[in-house]
Amino acid sequence: MAAAAAAKNSHLKVHLRHHSLHRFLQRSTKHSIPDPPVSAQKKMGNHLGHQFHQSKWCSSPFPHSISRKTKELEFSASSIISSIFSSRVSSSSSPKLGLVSWYLGMIQTRPVATKSITSAFIYTAADLSSQTIAAENSEGYDLVRTLRMAGYGLLIIGPSLHYWFNFVSRVFPKRDLLSTFKKMALGQTVYGPTATALFFSVNAALQGESCSEIVARLKRDLIPTLINGVMYWPVCDFVTLRFVPVHLQPLVSNSFSYLWTVYLTYMASLAKVSSS
């Protein structure tokens, strides 16, 4: 009897809970928004279906408008940045900067000719400086000698430096310390002695010296010149080969060679060796 009474009481409690929950839901739905009529629901469904059909099978203008606005904003931002940059460049630019830009463009388009002409100018300036320092001729500068130096830079040093640096960069493409030292050693043992011997020989031949006199000049002047070159060129070559791009290495090397060419033209101007 007690078990039956307990079961009846629990069943009654569950029924009361369901009844109170049902009454609470009824009171809350009285204040909610009423559902639209069936016709309105049908019209809304047809409208949404039509919009879905257009967005699925037709190109909706909404994404295109967003992408078009985004592109317009990107273009306007890039144009603003470019205009600010150009105004800054134009405000800070100078004729020197324009000349440098023109020269770098010429190196890209006509590398051999540009480097050859540059070398000719450097050899001309170096020879004039050498004649000024020596001041041997009181009558004035020896322009024929200067012309010989300019021709040597134009026809020999300029083109050879271009092909030499390209060759070395292909043989040792890396720019680490070991590759840099290998390039320097190759330059000191191959290019440097060859260019110096050719310089003395061509200059002596243009001055009318015979083959025996050219050989005697080389025996006298070549070794001391190479020894002095070992004391000067390694630091210059290290900076050039380690930190300078390949297409600008002849320019930097020619810039370093200005002082060297002053010394070299002085050595080439020494009196020829007596044949007796």
Side-chain angles (χ1 to χ4, degrees):
M1 294 293 290
K8 184 176 181 180
N9 290 331
S10 63
H11 180 73
L12 181 62
K13 289 180 180 179
V14 171
H15 180 72
L16 290 174
R17 289 178 181 175
H18 283 288
H19 180 70
S20 60
L21 180 62
H22 180 69
R23 291 183 63 185
F24 174 76
L25 291 176
Q26 283 183 348
R27 285 198 304 269
S28 61
T29 52
K30 286 181 181 180
H31 301 284
S32 61
I33 300 174
D35 295 333
V38 178
S39 59
Q41 293 180 4
K42 186 175 181 180
K43 290 181 180 180
M44 185 180 297
N46 293 333
H47 180 69
L48 291 176
H50 180 68
Q51 291 293 332
F52 174 76
H53 179 75
Q54 285 186 349
S55 64
K56 185 176 181 180
W57 300 107
C58 303
S59 59
S60 174
F62 182 69
H64 289 285
S65 62
I66 291 178
S67 61
R68 185 166 56 251
K69 292 294 184 182
T70 305
K71 291 181 180 179
E72 290 177 356
L73 289 174
E74 291 177 355
F75 178 75
S76 60
S78 61
S79 62
I80 291 172
I81 293 173
S82 61
S83 62
I84 293 173
F85 178 77
S86 61
S87 63
R88 288 183 178 178
V89 170
S90 61
S91 62
S92 62
S93 61
S94 62
K96 290 184 179 180
L97 184 60
L99 182 62
V100 170
S101 302
W102 172 82
Y103 182 81
L104 294 177
M106 292 298 294
I107 285 181
Q108 294 290 339
T109 56
R110 295 178 177 84
V112 179
T114 304
K115 296 169 186 177
S116 300
I117 295 173
T118 303
S119 182
F121 275 110
I122 291 175
Y123 268 76
T124 300
D127 182 69
L128 293 176
S129 300
S130 178
Q131 293 189 46
T132 303
I133 294 171
E136 294 179 353
N137 191 359
S138 60
E139 297 179 356
Y141 291 98
D142 186 358
L143 297 181
V144 176
R145 166 184 157 178
T146 304
L147 185 61
R148 289 198 305 267
M149 298 300 108
Y152 177 78
L154 178 67
L155 301 176
I156 297 178
I157 290 297
S160 64
L161 281 178
H162 169 78
Y163 292 110
W164 173 256
F165 282 118
N166 288 334
F167 167 74
V168 170
S169 65
R170 286 195 299 268
V171 175
F172 303 108
K174 296 182 180 180
R175 298 177 65 179
D176 54 352
L177 285 176
L178 182 59
S179 300
T180 302
F181 286 130
K182 289 179 180 179
K183 296 174 185 178
M184 291 169 56
L186 197 62
Q188 290 295 319
T189 56
V190 178
Y191 183 81
T194 303
T196 305
L198 188 61
F199 173 77
F200 283 135
S201 302
V202 170
N203 185 71
L206 292 176
Q207 294 183 81
E209 297 182 13
S210 62
C211 292
S212 58
E213 292 172 339
I214 293 174
V215 172
R217 178 183 288 274
L218 290 176
K219 290 180 180 180
R220 184 191 68 181
D221 299 335
L222 182 60
I223 299 301
T225 304
L226 294 178
I227 293 174
N228 292 327
V230 170
M231 294 186 294
Y232 177 78
W233 277 109
V235 176
C236 303
D237 289 340
F238 180 81
V239 174
T240 303
L241 297 170
R242 174 74 170 168
F243 303 107
V244 180
V246 178
H247 69 285
L248 294 179
Q249 286 176 355
L251 173 62
V252 177
S253 180
N254 277 324
S255 301
F256 283 127
S257 68
Y258 173 79
L259 294 177
W260 174 251
T261 307
V262 172
Y263 165 75
L264 201 62
T265 54
Y266 167 75
M267 293 294 295
S269 64
L270 295 178
K272 64 181 179 180
V273 180
S274 168
S275 58
S276 59

